[in-house]
Amino acid sequence: MSAHESHHHSAPHSHAHGHGPAAPVSRHLRKVIAAVLIPFAAAVAVGLVVLWPGGAPPHKPSGVGFDQPTETARVVKVAEVNCADVHAEQQPQPPSPTGQPPTGGADKGKPCQQATIEVTTGEHKGRTLQTVVTPDALRHYTTGQEVVVSYSPKAPKDLQYSISDVDRSFPMWLLAAIFAFAVVIVGRLRGLLALVALAASFVVLTLFILPAILQGSNPLVVAVVGGSAIMLIALYLCHGLTARTSVAVLGTLASLLLIGLLGSVFIGWALLTGNTDDTTGLVHGLYPDIEIRGLLLAGIIIGSLGVLDDVTVTQTAAVWELKEADPSAGWRKLYGAAMRIGRDHIASVVNTLVLAYAGAALPLLLLFSIAQSSVGTVASSEVVAEEIVRTLVGSIGLVAAVPLTTLLATLVVSADRKERSAPTGDEVGAGHLTGAEAGAGAGAGGTGSVPASPTGGRQGRRGGRGKRRKQG
C-alpha cells in the first residue's frame, strides 16, 4: 500500500469513528449563545460584588438552643452508681397499645453510669463536669471518648458546661475521603473537577449566601445570585467551556426561574410563614430582619439546583450523541428520541425528590400516624404543607427542565449542522469523504489524493469517480 493509499484509508476512518461530544463550531451560534450567557454571567458577578457581605455580622451568643459556644472535651472516667443515689430514677413508660408490658423493663434495676468529663479546649481548659446516664438512654460513654460540650456563661459555675454531642470528626472525615477516592478512581479527571466544583459550591454557600442573609439581604435575591454562581462554576468546570455546556446552563436557568415563580406564588397562596421549627424560630429571634418566608423560597431554589444540573446536562448530552449517531436527523426526530430518554429520567428524579423529603420528615410523619390524624389534616398542617410545596415546586421545575433543555439542544445542534452541511473545499481536502469514495480514490493506481475542487465537494467526488472509470 502506497503512502497515498494509506492517507485515503486512514483519514475517513478516524473521521467516522471519532469519539467525544460533537460541539457546535459555527461562529454564528457561538455568538448567539454568548450574547445570552455573557450578560447573565456579568449580572451574577455584579450581584456578588454588590451583595458581598464581608463575613457574618458580629454576634454575642445568647446561650439559647444552638446559639451557644462549644468546646471539645474528653471522658476521663466512667463509674457505675445506684440510680437512686444520684436521683436518676427511670421514667415510667406507658403500656403498649396491645396491652403488653412497657418496653425497657429489662433495664429496670440496672445501675446508672456517672461519666466524668474534662474540657480540653477554650479558656476553661481542664475544668471537669459530671453527667449521669440511665440504663435506658440511647447514648452511653466510654473512657477516652471525645465529646462536644456547650457553654452557658449565665448558668451557675457547676452547670455552665453540658454535653451537647459526641465528637464524630474522624468517621466523617474518613467517609469524605472514601467518597473523594471513589469519585476520582471512577471519574478520573472529571471526578477530580467535580470535587473542585463541590468545594467551590461550599465556598459560595459559606462565604456569600449564609453571611449575606444574616446581614439582612433579601434571601431570594441572594439565593438566585449565589445559586447562579454555583451553577456556572460547577457546569463549566466539570464539562468544559463548550456550547453543549452553555445549552445546559440556559436550561437550568430557565427552570430555576420557573421554580422561583411557582414557589413565590404558592408560598403566598398557602399562607406559609416558614417558621415551623425551633431552629427557624431561633434564627428569627436572633435576627428579626431576616425575611423567613424568603428564606423558605431560597431553600427551595438551592435544594433544586443540584438535581437540575444533572437533568440538563444529561439531556443535552443525549441530544448531542443522538445527532452524532444519526447526522441526517432533523430537530423533530432528535427531540422525540431525546424526550423518550428524558421521560425515564423524569420518573426516577421525581421519585428521588419525593423519597428524599419523606425520609427527612419521617419522624414527623410517625407522630402524625401515632395521633391517627387524617390525610387531609396532615397535608394541610403548615409543617407538612411546607414540605409538600417544596417537593412539588421543585419537581415541576425538574419536569419542565427536560423538554426545555431538550428543545434548546435540538435547535442548537440542528442549526449548527445546517450551516456545516455544505462542506468547503478545505474540508473535502481534509478527508471529509465517505469510505467508498476514499476507496475509489485509493484504487487509482497511486495517483494521489482526490484534489479539492475550488467550487466545492461535488466536483472533487466526480473527479474520483471519473478516475475509477478510467482505471477500469
Side-chain angles (χ1 to χ4, degrees):
M1 180 181 294
S2 66
H4 296 296
E5 291 172 337
S6 175
H7 169 77
H8 275 287
H9 281 285
S10 60
H13 178 81
S14 62
H15 173 71
H17 294 83
H19 296 285
V25 295
S26 62
R27 183 175 300 176
H28 175 68
L29 279 177
R30 289 200 300 267
K31 288 182 177 180
V32 171
I33 295 174
V36 177
L37 288 180
I38 290 179
F40 169 65
V44 171
V46 171
L48 288 173
V49 173
V50 172
L51 297 175
W52 192 262
H59 170 68
K60 185 177 180 180
S62 64
V64 179
F66 285 101
D67 190 33
Q68 293 179 332
T70 59
E71 304 290 348
T72 59
R74 181 183 298 110
V75 180
V76 295
K77 181 181 178 182
V78 177
E80 291 186 353
V81 296
N82 190 307
C83 295
D85 294 340
V86 293
H87 308 287
E89 290 86 356
Q90 299 180 52
Q91 297 294 328
Q93 299 189 13
S96 63
T98 58
Q100 298 293 328
T103 58
D107 294 331
K108 188 176 181 180
K110 288 186 177 181
C112 292
Q113 288 183 339
Q114 188 175 52
T116 303
I117 315 296
E118 180 183 359
V119 180
T120 56
T121 59
E123 59 176 331
H124 297 137
K125 180 180 179 180
R127 181 185 292 187
T128 60
L129 62 143
Q130 290 184 335
T131 185
V132 176
V133 183
T134 59
D136 58 346
L138 296 178
R139 179 181 295 161
H140 294 264
Y141 303 104
T142 58
T143 303
Q145 183 178 7
E146 301 288 336
V147 295
V148 178
V149 292
S150 56
Y151 176 63
S152 300
K154 297 180 180 180
K157 183 177 180 179
D158 294 340
L159 302 176
Q160 287 181 335
Y161 283 98
S162 61
I163 297 179
S164 60
D165 208 343
V166 297
D167 185 0
R168 51 181 67 89
S169 301
F170 178 74
M172 299 302 292
W173 280 111
L174 179 61
L175 181 59
I178 294 173
F179 163 73
F181 178 77
V183 170
V184 173
I185 287 296
V186 177
R188 299 185 180 180
L189 179 60
R190 286 289 179 88
L192 181 61
L193 292 176
L195 292 178
V196 175
L198 180 62
S201 300
F202 274 106
V203 169
V204 174
L205 182 65
T206 56
L207 296 185
F208 173 71
I209 295 179
L210 298 180
I213 292 176
L214 291 178
Q215 291 281 12
S217 299
N218 188 296
L220 177 58
V221 176
V222 171
V224 170
V225 174
S228 298
I230 291 174
M231 174 185 67
L232 292 173
I233 294 172
L235 288 181
Y236 282 117
L237 186 60
C238 293
H239 305 285
L241 193 64
T242 64
R244 190 172 83 172
T245 307
S246 299
V247 172
V249 169
L250 290 175
T252 305
L253 176 61
S255 302
L256 280 179
L257 293 176
L258 177 61
I259 289 174
L261 177 63
L262 288 176
S264 179
V265 169
F266 282 94
I267 287 175
W269 198 358
L271 302 178
L272 299 178
T273 63
N275 191 4
T276 56
D277 54 30
D278 294 338
T279 303
T280 308
L282 179 60
V283 170
H284 186 54
L286 296 174
Y287 296 91
D289 294 335
I290 293 180
E291 213 282 304
I292 298 298
R293 185 175 294 179
L295 194 62
L296 171 61
L297 183 56
I300 295 176
I301 293 176
I302 295 175
S304 304
L305 182 60
V307 189
L308 270 179
D309 290 350
D310 173 54
V311 171
T312 55
V313 169
T314 301
Q315 284 305 113
T316 308
V319 171
W320 251 259
E321 295 300 328
L322 288 170
K323 185 65 177 181
E324 191 72 9
D326 185 5
S328 63
W331 76 269
R332 293 179 182 274
K333 183 177 180 181
L334 283 177
Y335 182 80
M339 280 302 298
R340 286 192 290 272
I341 299 174
R343 291 186 187 100
D344 291 336
H345 206 180
I346 287 174
S348 61
V349 167
V350 169
N351 196 42
T352 299
L353 270 186
V354 172
L355 291 180
Y357 284 124
L362 194 58
L364 178 65
L365 297 178
L366 287 175
L367 288 178
F368 279 112
S369 298
I370 294 172
Q372 297 181 349
S373 302
S374 65
V375 175
T377 302
V378 172
S380 61
S381 63
E382 181 172 3
V383 66
V384 176
E386 180 180 303
E387 296 301 325
I388 292 176
V389 170
R390 191 195 309 269
T391 302
L392 296 184
V393 167
S395 298
I396 291 172
L398 292 174
V399 171
V402 172
L404 284 174
T405 308
T406 304
L407 181 60
L408 283 172
T410 52
L411 291 177
V412 167
V413 76
S414 299
D416 180 70
R417 287 305 189 271
K418 286 178 182 179
E419 293 188 10
R420 297 173 61 195
S421 60
T424 63
D426 293 337
E427 288 175 334
V428 175
H432 285 254
L433 302 173
T434 64
E437 292 163 348
T447 58
S449 60
V450 180
S453 170
T455 58
R458 289 187 176 181
Q459 294 183 13
R461 287 193 290 269
R462 283 199 300 268
R465 287 194 293 269
K467 291 180 181 181
R468 183 180 58 185
R469 288 193 297 267
K470 183 176 180 180
Q471 181 70 17

